[in-house]
């Protein structure tokens, strides 16, 4: 579904990714692992065209998208749940969700899966997004991304900074998006246990390079210790 081949990415004159190759198979979750600051967020931003420039090939469903503008990549079928959520606090829950539909360029509506996964949002559509808890804002960020009707969902540490009683709900919703909707997901995650439970494949980054990849059941404790231990 989404393939990267020898991708370099830059912020100004600083190179952040070095020859990264990876492939997320259709209908699977690929975990993007590594310590803080090794290029995981940059990888997602590069896929969306949000770094200053990139080189190499990025293909979505067999079509090269590396030369497209960010909005064109979104319309091609890529949605993003960023680290920090970035909801608009003065917009209502309804307005935040429907805003996601602008990226798709079609009719703006609340996806049918949203009330199933996040009933609280549907019960409070007219509340401002800014009054929600961190976990509720994360649910809102996911709902907004789903309004794009994406083929691929990029998620950047979706359980970071969320109250423990909602973490499991967020994790289970990610798995359901994959298993019930068949959504292909790139999941940046520090929780190796959740990555092993949710993902079918992984790629490990170190200093902007891919240092290990493959089926998730080949992710050994030694690899985790070598590339993720502090």
């Amino acid at each position: 579904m989404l393939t990267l081949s020898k991708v370099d990415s830059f912020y100004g004159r600083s190179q952040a990714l070095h020859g990264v190759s990876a492939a997320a198979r259709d209908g699977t979750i690929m975990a993007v692992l590594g310590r803080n600051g090794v290029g995981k967020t940059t990888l997602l931003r590069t896929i969306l065209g949000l770094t200053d420039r990139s080189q190499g090939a990025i293909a979505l469903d067999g079509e090269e998208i590396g030369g497209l503008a960010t909005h064109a990549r979104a319309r091609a079928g890529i949605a993003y749940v960023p680290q920090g959520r970035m909801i608009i606090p003065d917009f209502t829950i309804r307005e935040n969700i429907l805003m996601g539909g602008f990226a798709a360029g079609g009719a703006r509506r609340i996806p049918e899966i949203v009330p199933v996964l996040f009933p609280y949002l549907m019960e409070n559509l007219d509340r401002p997004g800014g009054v929600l808890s961190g976990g509720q804002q994360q649910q809102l960020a996911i709902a907004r991304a789903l309004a794009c009707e994406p083929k691929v969902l990029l998620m950047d540490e979706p359980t970071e900074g969320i109250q423990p009683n909602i973490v499991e709900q967020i994790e289970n919703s990610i798995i359901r998006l994959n298993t019930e909707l068949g959504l292909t997901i790139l999941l940046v995650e520090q929780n190796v246990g959740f990555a092993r439970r949710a993902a079918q494949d992984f790629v490990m980054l170190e200093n902007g390079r891919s240092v290990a990849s493959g089926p998730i059941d080949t992710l050994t404790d030694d690899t985790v210790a070598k590339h993720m231990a502090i």
Side-chain angles (χ1 to χ4, degrees):
M1 174 60 74
L2 181 69
T3 59
L4 293 84
S5 179
K6 298 180 180 178
V7 172
D8 302 326
S9 192
F10 301 82
Y11 293 111
R13 298 174 65 181
S14 176
Q15 185 169 355
L17 295 182
H18 304 262
V20 173
S21 295
R25 295 177 293 125
D26 188 16
T28 65
I29 298 177
M30 184 174 76
V32 182
L33 305 173
R35 297 184 182 92
N36 288 333
V38 300
K40 302 187 302 296
T41 295
T42 296
L43 179 64
L44 301 190
R45 289 176 58 84
T46 300
I47 292 168
L48 270 175
L50 294 174
T51 60
D52 291 339
R53 63 186 176 92
S54 65
Q55 301 169 173
I58 304 174
L60 175 65
D61 209 10
E63 298 292 329
E64 174 62 33
I65 63 168
L68 298 180
T70 296
H71 74 274
R73 301 186 197 200
R75 290 196 173 181
I78 299 177
Y80 184 33
V81 180
Q83 193 174 32
R85 300 174 281 278
M86 296 184 185
I87 60 102
I88 298 179
D90 293 333
F91 278 22
T92 65
I93 290 173
R94 186 196 315 274
E95 289 167 337
N96 269 283
I97 296 174
L98 294 179
M99 184 179 63
F102 280 93
R108 291 181 288 279
R109 62 182 184 85
I110 297 176
E112 294 178 2
I113 191 69
V114 169
V116 177
L117 295 179
F118 309 126
Y120 176 86
L121 298 182
M122 298 301 295
E123 294 163 3
N124 296 273
L125 286 172
D126 295 321
R127 294 196 74 191
V131 306
L132 303 181
S133 69
Q136 291 163 348
Q137 288 188 5
Q138 186 64 276
Q139 294 175 0
L140 180 53
I142 295 171
R144 179 183 60 192
L146 294 175
C148 302
E149 300 182 352
K151 298 176 182 176
V152 176
L153 183 60
L154 312 180
M155 309 190 79
D156 196 351
E157 300 201 30
T159 61
E160 181 186 41
I162 293 190
Q163 55 268 45
N165 63 315
I166 296 187
V167 166
E168 185 176 1
Q169 182 182 355
I170 296 290
E171 292 179 346
N172 289 338
S173 70
I174 293 168
I175 292 172
R176 290 184 67 180
L177 289 173
N178 172 245
T179 58
E180 296 180 21
L181 295 186
L183 196 55
T184 304
I185 300 173
L186 265 68
L187 175 68
V188 168
E189 186 55 67
Q190 292 285 347
N191 184 336
V192 175
F194 174 52
R196 283 175 164 151
R197 181 164 70 94
Q200 290 79 40
D201 301 292
F202 80 96
V203 57
M204 182 77 70
L205 299 184
E206 183 80 49
N207 296 324
R209 293 176 168 84
S210 171
V211 293
S213 62
I216 196 70
D217 58 10
T218 66
L219 176 62
T220 66
D221 292 340
D222 286 345
T223 299
V224 172
K226 181 177 181 180
H227 298 293
M228 295 188 70
I230 304 300

